[in-house]
Amino acid sequence: MQNFRFICPTDFIFGKDTENSVGEEIKKYGKRILLHYGGGHIKKNGLYDRIIRSLKANEIEYVELGGVKANPDVEMVREGIRLCREEKLDFILAAGGGSVIDSAKAIAMGVSYPGDVWDFFVGKAQIEEALPVGVILTIPATGSEASNTTVVTNSEGGHSKRAASGDNIKPVFAIMNPELTYSLPAYQTAAGGVDIFSHVAERYFTLEPDCGFTDRLCEATMKTVIGCLPEVLSHPQEYAGRAEIMWTGTIAHNGILGVGRSEDWGSHMLGHEITAFYGLTHGATLSIIIPNWMEYVYKTDVTRFVKYAVNVWNVENNMDHPEKTALEGIRRTRDFFRSVGMPVTLEEAGIDGDRIEEMAENCTKYGPVGGFVTLRKEDCMAIYEKSK
Amino acid sequence: MQNFRFICPTDFIFGKDTENSVGEEIKKYGKRILLHYGGGHIKKNGLYDRIIRSLKANEIEYVELGGVKANPDVEMVREGIRLCREEKLDFILAAGGGSVIDSAKAIAMGVSYPGDVWDFFVGKAQIEEALPVGVILTIPATGSEASNTTVVTNSEGGHSKRAASGDNIKPVFAIMNPELTYSLPAYQTAAGGVDIFSHVAERYFTLEPDCGFTDRLCEATMKTVIGCLPEVLSHPQEYAGRAEIMWTGTIAHNGILGVGRSEDWGSHMLGHEITAFYGLTHGATLSIIIPNWMEYVYKTDVTRFVKYAVNVWNVENNMDHPEKTALEGIRRTRDFFRSVGMPVTLEEAGIDGDRIEEMAENCTKYGPVGGFVTLRKEDCMAIYEKSK
């Protein structure tokens, strides 16, 4: 186990009706807030009204910035930063899914930075301070409600979807009411589930040999997603399954499953390019890439892929032919993604693959990617080709 | 899953040589500290010198209070409170195991309270504010480095070992270097392992039906202890095993394994009385009580005990006779405790059992105990009798 530092200070307020306490929670941190959200969904389902009621009851002033789209754009982040400065706001409430939260985090870290916020995403600046961000989560997927990361898209001068990280952008609280996810469409639910699963897989495939405890916690989390996601798709209004998926999303990405080990993240990098070039949903890029990435890299550590197959997928271990065990685990991964309605090839997602070289070029623009296996441009091309 | 609130703000600094940064960490919170520790062990192994060096390098003034014994006494807590007030200290560093940390937490919450600190332990006062506490952990066992609980013993007017809880006594940081545990004697190592295991078991046995994810995380933690503890006893100076055990101790008791569910804690209450009456090590009271508690209560939820047997102990499920499966899981629990050198009967611990009625009386003095099964005085007596 490598030396590590881990902190997750987020205050989780989980369960039915918890959004009604949002004003009370915010009061501990600020008085004038940016209320940040996406499309009209929170207005249709009543969440917006409940938030406003709670803000007013607690005498919290608010400025609104709605309209965040999937794969939040740096332009809106800049607009948020401008608003926070002009209106002297001291807190950001993100009411939505990962895109809204990521946009809020990026705004939070940009307010006191004199340069352009995109600097953080290309390694030109480190996050020194940030406004506190609170969350009301409506889509379990990205784990952004407790992660130290934000992913933002920049369309200027080509396509770019990049991440920035820092412990001081971890949300101060996350209000998580599983009932708010009852109305999520099946596709979005499944895409979220794949994203959660992949956050664990990116950590599970590590070069670190002595981290059996965290491996077990990873396996427990992946098995829960495998068990619960089909349940939730069949019974979208059942609390138990929605609650399990919501909490796995947090544990998968708050950092606890990555302590003391190297992580990979190659599949995310490959997936981000597909989104940047074709606009495909994040979870759908992962359901395509992950099994292909696995098949491309498994020979570098067959033993770990055997462990994955046996402990996560209950594959019977073929001791004489461990590679067969490993491949069966990968096959079941792909079958699972397909079974919940997600694409497993680029073609199924309506993508022809003409821009594979461009994507591979862009993916490795700042150097090779991946911590478990290092992927250079030609590796990225090969994985995209396999994914056609 | 029940509604829950979970926060674990502790900053974990885990790995080799991490204790050398203690002064830098403390600087974020205070300038004049109480350095609290146990016997001479930290002086013998050099930890004390390294702490002092780091404090001086960071210009932190310190007042020492050493000599904390196992099952920390309320008298020393009162002494620490007096010191903190007189010397105007603003931070407490606990360098040691659970007893030292618990003593430090109790001091921390008593400093600004005008009444006697024992009030917190008998429900006469709630923790309103506390000095920040930092930890250098030397014994993985109680999980006190990240828990919201402190357990203190009061010998005035009879024997009493009781707990007080509050989120504001969670340590602000926990420095955890597994190498500091290399010199722990086998008995203390094993007793710590049993304590860790029991912290999970007390949460695993719940009345809440829909908490499968946390169940899996609990199972992962218990399986890790089962796998690693014998390894550590055979190879006490191997880093990997010591590191795994140290981290399980934190996860087992920082609250994450208890979210959204009722917990039990009956075995801990029964065990505390054995310690209060006979001075027996905490872990040894649990290795005796837990299997007997399990046999006494398993019929109230055979299904959960079958799950425990199959998922934690790999017992083959006897579908025709689930009770046999359940009992086999309990048998393996007792065998495991015995195999690591811990007593499994009162007699093996040199206790005759003459004071069973007194212990049962004391255990239920403030009402019945246990969240999974409610234990009244006669139940406690029966479990103590079974444990002879």
Side-chain angles (χ1 to χ4, degrees):
Chain A
M1 200 190 293
Q2 301 169 8
N3 279 18
F4 68 84
R5 187 153 189 160
F6 173 71
I7 182 165
C8 178
T10 307
D11 193 355
F12 298 102
I13 304 152
F14 192 103
K16 296 176 182 173
D17 302 323
T18 46
E19 66 273 21
N20 294 321
S21 69
V22 67
E24 274 172 78
E25 297 304 327
I26 292 172
K27 253 200 311 195
K28 301 173 190 168
Y29 309 95
K31 285 179 175 176
R32 284 177 59 76
I33 75 164
L34 183 72
L35 172 55
H36 203 35
Y37 54 91
H41 190 64
I42 68 164
K43 294 199 172 168
K44 275 185 218 132
N45 70 5
L47 175 59
Y48 176 87
D49 291 336
R50 292 199 290 283
I51 293 171
I52 299 299
R53 204 176 306 134
S54 182
L55 294 179
K56 289 188 172 162
N58 289 279
E59 296 176 347
I60 292 160
E61 296 174 295
Y62 59 94
V63 174
E64 291 189 37
L65 182 60
V68 181
K69 295 202 171 52
N71 309 306
D73 197 86
V74 70
E75 267 310 317
M76 177 162 284
V77 170
R78 291 180 184 129
E79 166 72 3
I81 292 170
R82 193 187 56 72
L83 268 178
C84 286
R85 287 176 185 160
E86 281 181 14
E87 300 277 348
K88 301 202 188 326
L89 307 180
D90 54 14
F91 186 92
I92 304 174
L93 176 66
S99 298
V100 175
I101 305 169
D102 280 5
S103 183
K105 286 170 165 176
I107 295 169
M109 70 203 207
V111 172
S112 67
Y113 176 68
D116 181 55
V117 70
W118 191 247
D119 290 353
F120 293 109
F121 295 87
V122 292
K124 277 199 213 165
Q126 294 297 313
I127 307 167
E128 302 277 339
E129 56 180 310
L131 288 188
V133 173
V135 168
I136 299 178
L137 185 67
T138 62
I139 309 173
T142 71
S144 190
E145 67 277 9
S147 80
N148 66 350
T149 306
T150 164
V151 180
V152 167
T153 296
N154 188 340
S155 313
E156 295 154 16
H159 304 270
S160 203
K161 179 175 177 179
R162 301 196 58 84
S165 300
D167 275 347
N168 44 12
I169 58 170
K170 287 187 177 178
V172 293
F173 67 74
I175 290 173
M176 302 169 70
N177 178 357
E179 292 178 320
L180 296 176
T181 70
Y182 284 179
S183 55
L184 275 182
Y187 181 75
Q188 217 170 346
T189 300
V194 171
D195 195 17
I196 293 168
F197 186 93
S198 76
H199 289 154
V200 189
E202 297 274 24
R203 293 175 165 98
Y204 189 77
F205 292 99
T206 178
L207 299 171
E208 182 61 31
D210 293 314
C211 48
F213 177 37
T214 304
D215 280 351
R216 285 189 200 274
L217 297 177
C218 287
E219 290 158 6
T221 310
M222 289 189 277
K223 286 177 85 138
T224 304
V225 175
I226 295 163
C228 287
L229 190 54
E231 278 288 313
V232 166
L233 291 167
S234 308
H235 307 285
Q237 310 239 352
E238 272 185 22
Y239 187 83
R242 289 287 191 186
E244 294 277 62
I245 287 289
M246 196 170 221
W247 191 232
T248 59
T250 300
I251 297 297
H253 205 42
N254 78 343
I256 193 81
L257 300 185
V259 297
R261 57 169 67 204
S262 62
E263 304 179 359
D264 189 68
W265 299 102
S267 297
H268 264 71
M269 300 296 277
L270 288 160
H272 284 342
E273 296 306 325
I274 305 177
T275 302
F277 279 72
Y278 297 97
L280 187 64
T281 307
H282 180 53
T285 70
L286 293 165
S287 60
I288 296 166
I289 291 294
I290 281 186
N292 286 296
W293 173 87
M294 287 178 169
E295 284 167 352
Y296 189 75
V297 307
Y298 82 98
K299 284 185 183 163
T300 60
D301 190 351
V302 172
T303 308
R304 184 150 277 269
F305 275 91
V306 168
K307 182 171 173 173
Y308 169 73
V310 173
N311 290 355
V312 177
W313 293 103
N314 301 318
V315 175
E316 197 178 335
N317 194 357
N318 184 333
M319 313 268 186
D320 301 320
H321 302 284
E323 291 201 4
K324 289 192 179 175
T325 310
L327 286 170
E328 177 61 16
I330 301 171
R331 193 186 67 72
R332 292 194 193 181
T333 308
R334 182 180 278 123
D335 282 356
F336 170 66
F337 292 161
R338 190 186 283 120
S339 76
V340 295
M342 297 303 294
V344 295
T345 64
L346 288 168
E347 190 183 2
E348 284 175 22
I351 293 171
D352 53 21
D354 282 358
R355 305 182 70 182
I356 281 176
E357 188 167 0
E358 272 179 277
M359 290 198 293
E361 177 76 37
N362 227 39
C363 189
T364 54
K365 190 161 64 178
Y366 301 93
V369 298
F372 177 66
V373 172
T374 304
L375 305 177
R376 293 186 173 72
K377 182 184 165 187
E378 55 274 22
D379 302 304
C380 295
M381 283 184 66
I383 294 169
Y384 285 134
E385 284 293 339
K386 261 184 70 44
S387 306
K388 273 189 179 167
Chain B
M1 201 191 292
Q2 300 169 9
N3 278 19
F4 68 83
R5 185 153 192 162
F6 172 71
I7 181 164
C8 178
T10 307
D11 192 356
F12 298 102
I13 304 152
F14 192 103
K16 295 176 183 173
D17 302 324
T18 45
E19 66 273 20
N20 294 319
S21 69
V22 66
E24 275 172 78
E25 297 304 327
I26 292 172
K27 255 202 307 199
K28 301 173 190 167
Y29 308 96
K31 285 178 174 177
R32 284 177 59 77
I33 75 164
L34 182 72
L35 172 54
H36 201 36
Y37 54 92
H41 190 65
I42 70 165
K43 294 200 173 167
K44 275 186 218 133
N45 70 5
L47 175 58
Y48 176 87
D49 291 337
R50 293 199 290 285
I51 293 171
I52 299 298
R53 204 176 305 133
S54 182
L55 293 179
K56 287 188 173 163
N58 289 280
E59 297 176 348
I60 291 161
E61 295 175 294
Y62 59 94
V63 173
E64 291 189 36
L65 181 61
V68 181
K69 295 201 170 53
N71 310 306
D73 196 87
V74 70
E75 267 311 315
M76 177 163 283
V77 171
R78 290 180 184 132
E79 166 72 4
I81 292 169
R82 192 187 57 73
L83 268 177
C84 287
R85 287 177 184 160
E86 281 181 16
E87 301 277 348
K88 300 202 189 323
L89 307 179
D90 53 15
F91 186 91
I92 304 174
L93 176 65
S99 298
V100 175
I101 305 168
D102 280 5
S103 183
K105 286 169 164 177
I107 294 170
M109 70 202 207
V111 171
S112 67
Y113 175 67
D116 180 55
V117 69
W118 191 249
D119 290 353
F120 293 108
F121 295 85
V122 292
K124 277 200 212 163
Q126 295 297 313
I127 307 168
E128 301 277 338
E129 55 180 312
L131 287 188
V133 173
V135 169
I136 299 179
L137 186 65
T138 62
I139 308 172
T142 70
S144 190
E145 68 277 9
S147 80
N148 66 351
T149 305
T150 165
V151 180
V152 168
T153 296
N154 190 340
S155 314
E156 296 154 16
H159 305 269
S160 202
K161 180 174 175 180
R162 301 196 58 84
S165 301
D167 275 348
N168 43 12
I169 59 169
K170 287 188 176 177
V172 293
F173 67 74
I175 290 175
M176 301 168 69
N177 178 356
E179 292 178 319
L180 296 176
T181 69
Y182 283 179
S183 57
L184 274 181
Y187 181 74
Q188 220 171 344
T189 300
V194 171
D195 195 18
I196 293 167
F197 186 93
S198 76
H199 289 153
V200 189
E202 297 275 25
R203 293 174 164 98
Y204 190 77
F205 292 99
T206 178
L207 299 171
E208 182 62 31
D210 293 313
C211 48
F213 177 38
T214 304
D215 280 351
R216 284 189 200 274
L217 297 177
C218 287
E219 290 158 3
T221 311
M222 289 189 277
K223 285 178 86 137
T224 305
V225 175
I226 295 163
C228 287
L229 191 54
E231 278 288 315
V232 167
L233 291 168
S234 309
H235 308 286
Q237 309 237 353
E238 273 186 20
Y239 187 84
R242 288 287 191 185
E244 294 278 62
I245 287 289
M246 197 171 220
W247 190 233
T248 58
T250 300
I251 298 298
H253 204 43
N254 79 343
I256 193 81
L257 300 186
V259 298
R261 59 168 67 206
S262 62
E263 303 179 0
D264 188 69
W265 300 102
S267 297
H268 264 70
M269 300 295 277
L270 288 159
H272 284 343
E273 296 306 327
I274 304 177
T275 302
F277 277 73
Y278 297 98
L280 187 65
T281 308
H282 180 53
T285 69
L286 294 164
S287 59
I288 296 167
I289 291 294
I290 282 186
N292 286 298
W293 173 86
M294 288 178 167
E295 284 167 352
Y296 189 75
V297 308
Y298 81 97
K299 285 186 182 162
T300 60
D301 189 350
V302 171
T303 308
R304 184 149 277 267
F305 275 91
V306 167
K307 182 171 174 174
Y308 169 73
V310 172
N311 290 355
V312 177
W313 294 102
N314 302 318
V315 175
E316 196 177 335
N317 193 357
N318 184 333
M319 313 267 187
D320 301 318
H321 302 285
E323 291 201 5
K324 289 191 180 177
T325 310
L327 285 170
E328 177 61 16
I330 300 172
R331 193 186 67 73
R332 293 193 193 181
T333 308
R334 182 180 280 124
D335 283 356
F336 171 67
F337 292 160
R338 190 187 284 121
S339 76
V340 296
M342 297 302 293
V344 295
T345 64
L346 288 169
E347 190 184 359
E348 283 174 23
I351 292 171
D352 53 21
D354 283 358
R355 304 181 71 182
I356 281 177
E357 187 166 0
E358 274 179 275
M359 291 198 293
E361 176 75 38
N362 227 38
C363 188
T364 53
K365 189 160 65 179
Y366 300 94
V369 297
F372 177 66
V373 172
T374 304
L375 305 177
R376 294 186 172 71
K377 182 184 164 187
E378 55 274 22
D379 302 303
C380 295
M381 282 185 67
I383 294 169
Y384 284 134
E385 283 293 339
K386 262 183 69 43
S387 305
K388 274 192 181 167

